[in-house]
Structure formats: structure tokens, C-alpha cells
Short mmCIF file of all heavy atoms in Angstrom, two decimals:
data_model
loop_
_atom_site.label_atom_id
_atom_site.label_comp_id
_atom_site.label_asym_id
_atom_site.label_seq_id
_atom_site.Cartn_x
_atom_site.Cartn_y
_atom_site.Cartn_z
N ALA T 65 0.79 -1.24 0.00
CA ALA T 65 0.00 0.00 0.00
C ALA T 65 0.82 1.29 0.00
O ALA T 65 0.43 2.26 0.65
CB ALA T 65 -0.96 -0.01 1.20
N GLU T 66 1.90 1.31 -0.77
CA GLU T 66 2.67 2.55 -0.87
C GLU T 66 1.95 3.58 -1.73
O GLU T 66 2.01 4.78 -1.46
CB GLU T 66 4.06 2.28 -1.44
CG GLU T 66 4.98 3.49 -1.47
CD GLU T 66 4.80 4.41 -2.67
OE1 GLU T 66 4.38 3.92 -3.75
OE2 GLU T 66 5.05 5.63 -2.54
N GLU T 67 1.27 3.11 -2.77
CA GLU T 67 0.66 4.05 -3.73
C GLU T 67 -0.44 4.91 -3.10
O GLU T 67 -0.73 5.98 -3.61
CB GLU T 67 0.11 3.29 -4.94
CG GLU T 67 1.18 2.63 -5.81
CD GLU T 67 2.11 3.62 -6.49
OE1 GLU T 67 1.78 4.82 -6.51
OE2 GLU T 67 3.15 3.19 -7.01
N LEU T 68 -1.04 4.46 -2.03
CA LEU T 68 -2.01 5.28 -1.30
C LEU T 68 -1.41 5.87 -0.03
O LEU T 68 -2.11 6.51 0.76
CB LEU T 68 -3.25 4.45 -0.94
CG LEU T 68 -4.18 4.08 -2.10
CD1 LEU T 68 -5.38 3.29 -1.58
CD2 LEU T 68 -4.66 5.31 -2.87
N ALA T 69 -0.11 5.64 0.16
CA ALA T 69 0.62 6.19 1.31
C ALA T 69 0.01 5.78 2.65
O ALA T 69 0.00 6.56 3.60
CB ALA T 69 0.71 7.72 1.21
N VAL T 70 -0.47 4.54 2.72
CA VAL T 70 -1.02 4.05 3.99
C VAL T 70 -0.27 2.82 4.51
O VAL T 70 -0.41 2.45 5.68
CB VAL T 70 -2.52 3.72 3.87
CG1 VAL T 70 -3.32 4.97 3.56
CG2 VAL T 70 -2.78 2.65 2.81
N GLY T 71 0.54 2.19 3.66
CA GLY T 71 1.20 0.94 4.05
C GLY T 71 2.30 1.11 5.08
O GLY T 71 2.36 0.37 6.07
N ALA T 72 3.17 2.09 4.88
CA ALA T 72 4.27 2.29 5.82
C ALA T 72 3.74 2.65 7.21
O ALA T 72 4.22 2.14 8.23
CB ALA T 72 5.21 3.38 5.31
N LYS T 73 2.75 3.52 7.25
CA LYS T 73 2.16 3.90 8.54
C LYS T 73 1.59 2.68 9.25
O LYS T 73 1.79 2.50 10.46
CB LYS T 73 1.06 4.94 8.32
CG LYS T 73 0.41 5.41 9.61
CD LYS T 73 -0.68 6.43 9.33
CE LYS T 73 -1.33 6.91 10.62
NZ LYS T 73 -2.44 7.87 10.37
N ALA T 74 0.92 1.81 8.48
CA ALA T 74 0.30 0.63 9.07
C ALA T 74 1.32 -0.33 9.66
O ALA T 74 1.17 -0.82 10.78
CB ALA T 74 -0.56 -0.10 8.02
N VAL T 75 2.40 -0.60 8.92
CA VAL T 75 3.39 -1.56 9.43
C VAL T 75 4.19 -0.98 10.58
O VAL T 75 4.62 -1.70 11.49
CB VAL T 75 4.31 -2.09 8.30
CG1 VAL T 75 3.49 -2.77 7.22
CG2 VAL T 75 5.18 -0.99 7.70
N VAL T 76 4.39 0.34 10.57
CA VAL T 76 5.05 1.00 11.70
C VAL T 76 4.19 0.87 12.96
O VAL T 76 4.68 0.55 14.05
CB VAL T 76 5.35 2.48 11.39
CG1 VAL T 76 5.70 3.24 12.66
CG2 VAL T 76 6.49 2.59 10.38
N GLU T 77 2.89 1.10 12.80
CA GLU T 77 1.98 0.99 13.94
C GLU T 77 1.92 -0.44 14.49
O GLU T 77 1.62 -0.64 15.67
CB GLU T 77 0.58 1.46 13.54
CG GLU T 77 0.49 2.97 13.33
CD GLU T 77 -0.85 3.42 12.80
OE1 GLU T 77 -1.64 2.55 12.36
OE2 GLU T 77 -1.12 4.64 12.82
N GLN T 78 2.25 -1.41 13.63
CA GLN T 78 2.25 -2.80 14.07
C GLN T 78 3.63 -3.27 14.55
O GLN T 78 3.86 -4.45 14.76
CB GLN T 78 1.71 -3.71 12.96
CG GLN T 78 0.24 -3.44 12.65
CD GLN T 78 -0.37 -4.42 11.68
OE1 GLN T 78 -0.10 -5.62 11.74
NE2 GLN T 78 -1.20 -3.92 10.77
N GLY T 79 4.55 -2.31 14.72
CA GLY T 79 5.80 -2.59 15.40
C GLY T 79 6.98 -3.02 14.57
O GLY T 79 8.01 -3.41 15.13
N VAL T 80 6.89 -2.89 13.24
CA VAL T 80 7.99 -3.39 12.42
C VAL T 80 9.30 -2.64 12.66
O VAL T 80 10.39 -3.17 12.46
CB VAL T 80 7.61 -3.35 10.92
CG1 VAL T 80 7.67 -1.93 10.37
CG2 VAL T 80 8.50 -4.26 10.08
N MET T 81 9.21 -1.39 13.14
CA MET T 81 10.40 -0.57 13.35
C MET T 81 10.85 -0.52 14.80
O MET T 81 11.83 0.16 15.12
CB MET T 81 10.13 0.86 12.86
CG MET T 81 9.91 1.00 11.37
SD MET T 81 11.39 0.63 10.41
CE MET T 81 12.45 1.98 10.89
N ASP T 82 10.16 -1.22 15.68
CA ASP T 82 10.42 -1.05 17.12
C ASP T 82 11.85 -1.37 17.54
O ASP T 82 12.38 -0.75 18.46
CB ASP T 82 9.44 -1.91 17.93
CG ASP T 82 8.03 -1.35 17.91
OD1 ASP T 82 7.84 -0.26 17.35
OD2 ASP T 82 7.11 -2.01 18.44
N ASP T 83 12.48 -2.34 16.89
CA ASP T 83 13.84 -2.73 17.28
C ASP T 83 14.88 -2.39 16.22
O ASP T 83 15.99 -2.91 16.22
CB ASP T 83 13.88 -4.24 17.57
CG ASP T 83 13.42 -5.06 16.37
OD1 ASP T 83 12.88 -4.47 15.40
OD2 ASP T 83 13.60 -6.30 16.39
N VAL T 84 14.51 -1.49 15.30
CA VAL T 84 15.38 -1.18 14.15
C VAL T 84 16.29 -0.01 14.47
O VAL T 84 15.85 1.03 14.97
CB VAL T 84 14.52 -0.89 12.90
CG1 VAL T 84 15.38 -0.36 11.76
CG2 VAL T 84 13.78 -2.15 12.46
N ASP T 85 17.58 -0.16 14.14
CA ASP T 85 18.57 0.90 14.36
C ASP T 85 18.77 1.78 13.13
O ASP T 85 19.21 2.93 13.25
CB ASP T 85 19.91 0.28 14.77
CG ASP T 85 19.79 -0.47 16.08
OD1 ASP T 85 19.57 0.18 17.12
OD2 ASP T 85 19.92 -1.72 16.08
N ALA T 86 18.48 1.25 11.94
CA ALA T 86 18.60 2.03 10.71
C ALA T 86 17.75 1.38 9.63
O ALA T 86 17.54 0.16 9.64
CB ALA T 86 20.05 2.11 10.24
N CYS T 87 17.24 2.19 8.70
CA CYS T 87 16.44 1.65 7.60
C CYS T 87 16.97 2.17 6.27
O CYS T 87 17.60 3.23 6.20
CB CYS T 87 14.96 1.99 7.78
SG CYS T 87 14.57 3.74 7.94
N TYR T 88 16.67 1.41 5.23
CA TYR T 88 17.22 1.68 3.90
C TYR T 88 16.13 1.42 2.86
O TYR T 88 15.45 0.40 2.91
CB TYR T 88 18.41 0.74 3.66
CG TYR T 88 18.98 0.73 2.25
CD1 TYR T 88 20.09 1.50 1.92
CD2 TYR T 88 18.42 -0.08 1.25
CE1 TYR T 88 20.64 1.46 0.63
CE2 TYR T 88 18.96 -0.12 -0.02
CZ TYR T 88 20.06 0.66 -0.33
OH TYR T 88 20.60 0.62 -1.59
N GLY T 89 15.97 2.37 1.94
CA GLY T 89 15.00 2.19 0.87
C GLY T 89 15.52 2.77 -0.43
O GLY T 89 16.39 3.66 -0.43
N ILE T 90 14.99 2.26 -1.54
CA ILE T 90 15.38 2.78 -2.87
C ILE T 90 14.16 2.83 -3.77
O ILE T 90 13.12 2.24 -3.47
CB ILE T 90 16.47 1.90 -3.54
CG1 ILE T 90 16.04 0.42 -3.58
CG2 ILE T 90 17.80 2.08 -2.85
CD1 ILE T 90 15.16 0.03 -4.75
N HIS T 91 14.33 3.53 -4.89
CA HIS T 91 13.32 3.51 -5.95
C HIS T 91 14.02 3.39 -7.28
O HIS T 91 15.01 4.08 -7.53
CB HIS T 91 12.46 4.78 -5.93
CG HIS T 91 11.08 4.56 -6.46
ND1 HIS T 91 10.83 4.12 -7.74
CD2 HIS T 91 9.86 4.69 -5.86
CE1 HIS T 91 9.52 4.01 -7.92
NE2 HIS T 91 8.91 4.33 -6.78
N ILE T 92 13.54 2.51 -8.13
CA ILE T 92 14.03 2.44 -9.51
C ILE T 92 13.52 3.71 -10.19
O ILE T 92 12.37 4.10 -10.01
CB ILE T 92 13.52 1.16 -10.21
CG1 ILE T 92 14.29 0.89 -11.51
CG2 ILE T 92 12.02 1.17 -10.44
CD1 ILE T 92 15.53 0.10 -11.35
N TRP T 93 14.37 4.37 -11.00
CA TRP T 93 14.01 5.72 -11.45
C TRP T 93 14.43 5.95 -12.90
O TRP T 93 15.60 5.81 -13.25
CB TRP T 93 14.64 6.76 -10.54
CG TRP T 93 13.86 8.02 -10.46
CD1 TRP T 93 14.21 9.25 -10.93
CD2 TRP T 93 12.56 8.17 -9.86
NE1 TRP T 93 13.22 10.16 -10.65
CE2 TRP T 93 12.19 9.53 -10.01
CE3 TRP T 93 11.66 7.30 -9.24
CZ2 TRP T 93 10.98 10.03 -9.54
CZ3 TRP T 93 10.46 7.80 -8.78
CH2 TRP T 93 10.13 9.14 -8.93
N SER T 94 13.46 6.35 -13.71
CA SER T 94 13.73 6.54 -15.14
C SER T 94 14.47 7.84 -15.45
O SER T 94 14.96 8.02 -16.56
CB SER T 94 12.42 6.51 -15.92
OG SER T 94 11.60 7.61 -15.57
N MET T 95 14.55 8.73 -14.49
CA MET T 95 15.27 9.98 -14.70
C MET T 95 16.75 9.86 -14.37
O MET T 95 17.49 10.85 -14.40
CB MET T 95 14.65 11.10 -13.85
CG MET T 95 13.20 11.41 -14.19
SD MET T 95 12.97 12.02 -15.89
CE MET T 95 12.22 10.57 -16.67
N VAL T 96 17.19 8.64 -14.05
CA VAL T 96 18.60 8.36 -13.77
C VAL T 96 19.08 7.30 -14.75
O VAL T 96 18.42 6.29 -14.96
CB VAL T 96 18.80 7.87 -12.32
CG1 VAL T 96 20.26 7.54 -12.05
CG2 VAL T 96 18.30 8.91 -11.33
N ASP T 97 20.25 7.54 -15.34
CA ASP T 97 20.80 6.58 -16.30
C ASP T 97 21.23 5.29 -15.61
O ASP T 97 21.83 5.32 -14.53
CB ASP T 97 22.01 7.18 -17.02
CG ASP T 97 21.61 8.26 -18.01
OD1 ASP T 97 20.47 8.23 -18.50
OD2 ASP T 97 22.43 9.16 -18.28
N SER T 98 20.90 4.18 -16.23
CA SER T 98 21.37 2.88 -15.74
C SER T 98 22.84 2.72 -16.12
O SER T 98 23.27 3.12 -17.21
CB SER T 98 20.55 1.77 -16.40
OG SER T 98 21.06 0.51 -16.10
N PRO T 99 23.66 2.13 -15.23
CA PRO T 99 23.33 1.57 -13.93
C PRO T 99 23.77 2.47 -12.77
O PRO T 99 24.21 1.98 -11.74
CB PRO T 99 24.11 0.27 -13.95
CG PRO T 99 25.39 0.65 -14.66
CD PRO T 99 25.01 1.71 -15.67
N LYS T 100 23.68 3.77 -12.97
CA LYS T 100 24.09 4.71 -11.92
C LYS T 100 23.16 4.63 -10.71
O LYS T 100 21.99 4.24 -10.83
CB LYS T 100 24.08 6.14 -12.45
CG LYS T 100 25.00 6.38 -13.64
CD LYS T 100 26.44 6.50 -13.21
CE LYS T 100 27.32 6.97 -14.37
NZ LYS T 100 28.72 7.15 -13.98
N ILE T 101 23.67 5.04 -9.56
CA ILE T 101 22.90 5.01 -8.33
C ILE T 101 23.07 6.35 -7.61
O ILE T 101 24.17 6.90 -7.55
CB ILE T 101 23.36 3.86 -7.42
CG1 ILE T 101 23.04 2.51 -8.10
CG2 ILE T 101 22.69 3.93 -6.05
CD1 ILE T 101 23.59 1.30 -7.39
N ASN T 102 21.96 6.87 -7.11
CA ASN T 102 21.99 8.14 -6.38
C ASN T 102 21.77 7.92 -4.89
O ASN T 102 20.79 7.31 -4.47
CB ASN T 102 20.91 9.08 -6.91
CG ASN T 102 20.75 10.32 -6.03
OD1 ASN T 102 19.84 10.39 -5.21
ND2 ASN T 102 21.65 11.27 -6.17
N MET T 103 22.71 8.40 -4.10
CA MET T 103 22.61 8.42 -2.64
C MET T 103 23.19 9.74 -2.18
O MET T 103 24.39 9.96 -2.34
CB MET T 103 23.41 7.26 -2.01
CG MET T 103 22.97 5.87 -2.39
SD MET T 103 21.47 5.40 -1.52
CE MET T 103 21.21 3.75 -2.22
N GLU T 104 22.37 10.64 -1.65
CA GLU T 104 22.93 11.92 -1.22
C GLU T 104 22.16 12.50 -0.04
O GLU T 104 21.01 12.15 0.22
CB GLU T 104 23.00 12.91 -2.38
CG GLU T 104 21.70 13.27 -3.03
CD GLU T 104 21.91 14.15 -4.26
OE1 GLU T 104 22.08 15.37 -4.09
OE2 GLU T 104 21.91 13.61 -5.39
N ILE T 105 22.83 13.41 0.65
CA ILE T 105 22.27 14.03 1.84
C ILE T 105 21.19 15.03 1.46
O ILE T 105 21.19 15.58 0.35
CB ILE T 105 23.39 14.73 2.65
CG1 ILE T 105 22.93 15.06 4.08
CG2 ILE T 105 23.89 15.97 1.92
CD1 ILE T 105 22.83 13.88 4.98
N GLY T 106 20.24 15.25 2.38
CA GLY T 106 19.28 16.33 2.20
C GLY T 106 17.90 15.88 1.75
O GLY T 106 17.55 14.70 1.79
N GLU T 107 17.11 16.86 1.31
CA GLU T 107 15.74 16.62 0.88
C GLU T 107 15.72 15.79 -0.40
O GLU T 107 16.40 16.10 -1.37
CB GLU T 107 15.04 17.96 0.64
CG GLU T 107 14.96 18.82 1.89
CD GLU T 107 14.54 20.25 1.62
OE1 GLU T 107 14.64 20.68 0.44
OE2 GLU T 107 14.13 20.95 2.56
#
């Protein structure tokens, strides 16, 4: 349920993050040339 922006909230409320020290996520993106990867600080 990411497309309605309700899935992350639901799993957080059910404790999936309770013992987590760090989390990592990515998105496949057509505005970036393959096989480059973007990881940067900020917004």
C-alpha cells in the first residue's frame, strides 16, 4: 500500500520498526541513467 501512502504507517503501527537501528530504501528511477545510483544528503 505505498501508492495510497497508507502501508508504511500501518506496518510501523504494528511494530515493524520497534527494534530497528537504521532503515534503507530505494526507488528504480527513469530519470537516472542505468546503472548509476543516487545516494545523497538532504531533501
Side-chain angles (χ1 to χ4, degrees):
E66 185 277 332
E67 294 295 347
L68 289 181
V70 296
K73 181 181 180 182
V75 300
V76 166
E77 289 174 347
Q78 295 187 40
V80 76
M81 294 293 293
D82 287 355
D83 57 349
V84 171
D85 297 293
C87 56
Y88 171 97
I90 53 84
H91 209 300
I92 194 88
W93 209 247
S94 65
M95 298 298 106
V96 178
D97 288 334
S98 173
K100 300 283 190 178
I101 295 173
N102 170 260
M103 298 284 179
E104 61 186 278
I105 195 73
E107 299 168 342

